[in-house]
Amino acid sequence: MTNDEMNQVLELNGEERYDYFLSLVGEEREIWILVNAENRFLKIESDDGALAHLPVWPSSAFAMEYAKGASDLSPKSISLPDFFKKWVPGLTKDGLEVGVFPGRDDTLWITEPEELKRDLQDEMSSF
């Protein structure tokens, strides 16, 4: 992916990035998160602590772009079977939402883990 292509995708609005995410993850069958040196995943909380989410990306390149300037974060792949079997129940139990594909415009599609799972399953059924 060229820089121009990456920039075009990152300029999409939150809903368009969500659709792009579903399409690419449906093809590749993996989700990308950011982890620190201790292998702890990046979790983002609202200023008032009322909302916490796990940001996810459709590829390593987008996750790395987001982590620019944060030397302690690196992309980590999660296979869709692992995400469905382990992460969705764990995130739900912990009360964490999923922030799908943060972009440059500060908009973010935040969804419940089960809803993202259903959307991904629907997307995969079209292949």
Side-chain angles (χ1 to χ4, degrees), residues 40-102:
R40 291 203 175 108
F41 64 86
L42 175 65
K43 175 174 79 170
I44 298 175
E45 293 188 25
S46 60
D47 291 337
D48 62 5
L51 177 71
H53 70 271
L54 168 74
V56 296
W57 292 269
S59 74
S60 172
F62 287 116
M64 283 179 13
E65 176 69 19
Y66 183 87
K68 255 190 201 169
S71 61
D72 63 333
L73 293 175
S74 59
K76 179 178 178 164
S77 166
I78 302 171
S79 72
L80 272 190
D82 265 4
F83 185 74
F84 291 165
K85 287 184 191 130
K86 297 176 187 169
W87 284 80
V88 168
L91 292 168
T92 302
K93 181 175 77 65
D94 293 343
L96 274 176
E97 304 279 326
V98 181
V100 178
F101 198 1

Side-chain angles (χ1 to χ4, degrees), residues 13-58:
N13 70 37
E15 187 172 353
E16 291 167 331
R17 284 194 316 275
Y18 187 78
D19 291 340
Y20 181 91
F21 175 90
L22 293 177
S23 176
L24 193 56
V25 169
E27 281 181 45
E28 301 295 328
R29 303 286 202 260
E30 62 185 354
I31 288 176
W32 290 84
I33 62 171
L34 290 170
V35 296
N36 66 13
E38 289 86 44
N39 209 29
R40 291 203 175 108
F41 64 86
L42 175 65
K43 175 174 79 170
I44 298 175
E45 293 188 25
S46 60
D47 291 337
D48 62 5
L51 177 71
H53 70 271
L54 168 74
V56 296
W57 292 269

